[in-house]
Amino acid sequence: MVNIAVLVSGRGSNLQSIIDNIEKGYLKARIAVVISDVGSAYALERARNHSIETIFVDPKKFSSRESYEEEVVKVLKDHDVQLVLLAGYMRIIGKTLLLKYKNQILNIHPALLPAFPGLHAQKQAFDHGVKVAGCTVHFVDDKLDGGPIILQRCVEVKENDTAESLANRILEQEHKIYPEAVKLVIENRLRIEGRKVKIIN
Ligand code: GRF
């Protein structure tokens, strides 16, 4: 059974979809720990509601990203974690985590990368006037929202959309493709070849 850690900072709806997919048997994995850099994150409550261990690693207690991540790595090792899922985690991942968990960290981003990396991606896309938006699950590397892409899903922009209504429809798709991508990883069905991620049937 693969031990997963989910890193969160906020409302945790993607965490919830991973939890739900484990509970209904779609994902053969367990969440060993949920780590947050925000003590009041609602995601922590969601985890506790399912008796999942939560740990708040307070960034204020660390003088650098490196020392912060060393603590996160310690928690991950203590929980025998093999796969790390970023789910609305608002910190940039640095060398310390990347080296220890090479190709074992996934992120979900609410845009069709490489378009609209960074914050407020749905609004960036909406304001740009795109006709098709969407979301991406990718491996995390040292570039912001830049690692090899595992899955993407399109969402059409409607004439009467607002940035918010569009973001809500993108979120529905996020909740589908993140578990799908996690399933591919835990079933060892992905091969990274340069920028490309091959899916093996
Ligand atoms: C999602 O839109 C995700 O794509 C982005 O941050 C948001 C997190 O939402 N990385 P939630 O905390 O999972 O509800």
Side-chain angles (χ1 to χ4, degrees):
M1 183 84 77
V2 173
N3 279 335
I4 292 177
V6 186
L7 271 55
V8 297
S9 302
R11 92 194 135 172
S13 70
N14 278 289
L15 165 66
Q16 189 69 56
S17 90
I18 299 296
I19 293 173
D20 294 346
N21 277 285
I22 289 174
E23 289 186 352
K24 71 180 185 204
Y26 177 73
L27 291 175
K28 307 265 181 280
R30 68 180 273 272
I31 300 179
V33 64
V34 171
I35 302 173
S36 179
D37 62 334
V38 177
S40 60
Y42 182 57
L44 293 175
E45 206 172 313
R46 291 183 191 265
R48 287 192 286 261
N49 287 340
H50 292 262
S51 307
I52 295 167
E53 186 177 344
T54 61
I55 297 186
F56 165 45
V57 185
D58 186 352
K60 287 198 205 82
K61 291 192 179 150
F62 300 87
S63 56
S64 63
R65 183 190 295 161
E66 210 177 333
S67 56
Y68 184 82
E69 288 195 350
E70 274 163 14
E71 178 61 22
V72 173
V73 166
K74 186 176 174 303
V75 173
L76 297 175
K77 297 287 175 199
D78 285 350
H79 289 80
D80 195 21
V81 166
Q82 292 103 35
L83 178 64
V84 178
L85 305 180
L86 310 183
Y89 182 65
M90 298 306 282
R91 281 175 187 271
I92 289 172
I93 303 298
K95 277 205 294 286
T96 308
L97 257 167
L98 283 173
L99 288 175
K100 290 272 168 30
Y101 283 87
K102 192 168 160 42
N103 297 335
Q104 291 169 283
I105 309 177
L106 268 53
N107 182 43
I108 176 105
H109 183 76
L112 293 173
L113 291 169
F116 310 116
L119 290 175
H120 312 300
Q122 309 95 322
K123 185 168 186 314
Q124 286 186 54
F126 181 78
D127 290 348
H128 194 85
V130 300
K131 300 291 184 189
V132 178
C135 46
T136 303
V137 181
H138 63 92
F139 286 105
V140 173
D141 68 7
D142 58 352
K143 286 161 216 78
L144 178 69
D145 300 322
I149 290 169
I150 301 171
L151 289 177
Q152 295 188 299
R153 190 105 347 127
C154 295
V155 174
E156 271 185 44
V157 181
K158 295 179 180 166
E159 288 302 321
N160 60 355
D161 258 330
T162 60
E164 201 189 353
S165 64
L166 177 62
N168 288 338
R169 287 210 311 292
I170 293 172
L171 192 62
E172 283 172 22
Q173 297 308 314
E174 291 183 40
H175 296 162
K176 293 181 182 158
I177 65 165
Y178 213 178
E180 285 174 26
V182 171
K183 191 177 175 71
L184 291 171
V185 173
I186 62 186
E187 290 179 353
N188 196 21
R189 289 176 55 204
L190 299 179
R191 297 290 172 269
I192 305 177
E193 295 174 10
R195 276 225 51 93
K196 301 209 175 67
V197 179
K198 298 253 161 77
I199 300 176
I200 300 159
N201 281 311

